[in-house]
Amino acid sequence: MPVATENLSQILYRDMLLIRRTEEKILELFSAGKVGGTTHTCIGQEANAVALVGQLDRQRDFVVSNHRCHGHYLAYGGPLDGLLGEILGTANGVCGGRGGSQHIKYDRFQSNGVLGGGIPIACGIAMGEKLKGGDGITVVSIGDGALGEGTLYESLNMAALWDLPILFLVENNRYAQSTPLHLGVAGSIVDRARPFGIRADEIDTTDVEELLVWSSRAIEAVRLDRKPHWAVMHTYRFSAHSKGDDTRDEDEVRAYQEKDPLRIQSARLNAEQLDEAEAWVQDALDRALAACDAAGEAMKL
Ligand SMILES: Cc1ncc(C[n+]2csc(CCOP(=O)(O)OP(=O)(O)O)c2C)c(N)n1
């Protein structure tokens, strides 16, 4: 539970810290051989998830995330033990511990490990919401690598033609696995939706408070107009693509780390507030890991 005296700056910091420390723990567990398969962390990109997904209304809005989904899931409000259980393959995972982080389904949140695979699914969800006359919106998040998937452009066409209440969140972290942006993406990312008549906007910051204001406008635009929106966040990941597979220039990574969203946000808090957030997150992690231990291995199929 949040501390009673918390203000918005503290909450944003704590929510980002929860994602950061959780993923650091996941990488540690991975190195210890406790995680089967693979994992993709969003270390460095936490502000995007907290600012945009964290503002959605879980009672009515849907999220379709991708292979790099832990931050989106936690910002959406997914239970921490359910995520760790999914990654560790324990019975308390939100999908019984059999999906891993790339195949999560929790409430109105789902992730999809097929690059671009979630985009048409999200259009279907948005269409369903439209037909039901609901006021929920669907957010589908993709990386710059998915800009090369044909299904994206079929989906943009349908979303525009049918006025789907969908927000396409593009997190351009400048690499698709090991392929730098300039080798994989031609032209302007923000312009890619415009030929379909879809409103498009972009932001280049790691300041969660700036992202929050910008995201609230994008969310409200879709909620009120019931039309698609293309929202591009330029960002950077500090961690490897998955685990140990990092070919990027170390100086480049270090330069982006200067703009660490946690560092920016921590400058708005005092030492006591920072300690409080750290303790809260540590306690949440300890309890979630204990729940995984207690749950035991997932049922074998
Ligand atoms: C159809 C398909 N092709 C290839 C892959 C392997 N793959 C997983 S992530 C990834 C790169 C994705 O890059 P991007 O969309 O920029 O997202 P990021 O990893 O940078 O967050 C690739 C090629 C996949 N999961 N699905």
Side-chain angles (χ1 to χ4, degrees):
M1 288 295 290
V3 184
T5 54
E6 269 183 330
N7 60 37
L8 181 62
S9 294
Q10 277 177 280
I11 292 168
L12 294 169
Y13 178 78
R14 186 204 62 207
D15 289 355
M16 291 195 293
L17 190 69
L18 178 67
I19 299 170
R20 174 75 54 96
R21 295 285 178 259
T22 298
E23 293 201 310
E24 286 170 349
K25 176 55 77 178
I26 290 169
L27 290 176
E28 196 184 305
L29 293 166
F30 200 104
S31 296
K34 294 192 175 154
V35 177
T38 188
T39 193
H40 306 85
T41 61
C42 69
I43 294 175
Q45 302 183 200
E46 298 91 344
N48 309 345
V50 167
L52 198 143
V53 179
Q55 283 195 66
L56 297 175
D57 178 352
R58 266 177 53 193
Q59 305 304 316
R60 55 182 169 158
D61 297 331
F62 298 83
V63 178
V64 180
S65 183
N66 52 53
H67 57 286
R68 204 175 295 288
C69 73
H70 309 152
H72 300 146
Y73 168 93
L74 290 173
Y76 172 80
L80 180 57
D81 58 337
L83 173 68
L84 289 171
E86 212 46 53
I87 291 167
L88 288 166
T90 50
N92 61 329
V94 279
C95 299
R98 292 192 296 267
S101 60
Q102 294 191 85
H103 304 105
I104 283 181
K105 171 77 178 73
Y106 171 72
D107 207 357
R108 290 179 174 80
F109 176 98
Q110 62 180 276
S111 62
N112 192 313
V114 178
L115 195 57
I119 308 169
I121 294 171
C123 286
I125 293 171
M127 178 57 119
E129 189 65 6
K130 178 177 168 152
L131 292 175
K132 281 188 280 184
D135 60 358
I137 72 164
T138 301
V139 172
V140 56
S141 74
I142 61 171
D144 43 287
L147 297 171
E149 296 289 344
T151 190
L152 171 63
Y153 303 95
E154 296 177 52
S155 298
L156 287 173
N157 190 52
M158 289 187 278
L161 267 182
W162 300 337
D163 284 339
L164 301 184
I166 183 166
L167 194 155
F168 296 91
L169 167 62
V170 187
E171 286 180 82
N172 166 30
N173 63 15
R174 296 161 163 104
Y175 288 85
Q177 197 147 353
S178 53
T179 307
L181 192 66
H182 71 275
L183 293 182
V185 178
S188 147
I189 297 178
V190 70
D191 285 345
R192 284 193 173 215
R194 291 193 169 126
F196 298 92
I198 293 177
R199 279 172 316 208
D201 202 1
E202 65 186 324
I203 187 164
D204 191 352
T205 181
T206 47
D207 182 334
V208 69
E209 299 200 2
E210 284 176 29
L211 283 162
L212 191 80
V213 174
W214 184 85
S215 300
S216 80
R217 276 195 227 110
I219 291 168
E220 281 318 297
V222 180
R223 198 177 305 287
L224 298 176
D225 296 355
R226 316 306 297 161
K227 287 189 172 149
H229 189 95
W230 179 253
V232 182
M233 290 178 176
H234 299 286
T235 182
Y236 199 81
R237 69 173 150 76
F238 303 156
S239 47
H241 168 73
S242 52
K243 186 75 179 60
D245 49 350
D246 204 351
T247 51
R248 297 170 303 173
D249 179 64
E250 283 177 18
D251 287 341
E252 179 187 293
V253 180
R254 261 195 295 277
Y256 277 107
Q257 281 170 338
E258 294 293 314
K259 298 188 229 161
D260 185 335
L262 279 159
R263 187 189 293 196
I264 294 173
Q265 195 60 6
S266 69
R268 297 185 173 119
L269 307 182
N270 62 37
E272 193 189 336
Q273 291 168 325
L274 294 174
D275 288 348
E276 210 169 70
E278 201 70 62
W280 186 91
V281 165
Q282 193 52 55
D283 179 58
L285 266 172
D286 290 345
R287 282 188 287 114
L289 287 165
C292 294
D293 275 347
E297 260 187 60
M299 193 178 73
K300 295 269 183 300
L301 289 177

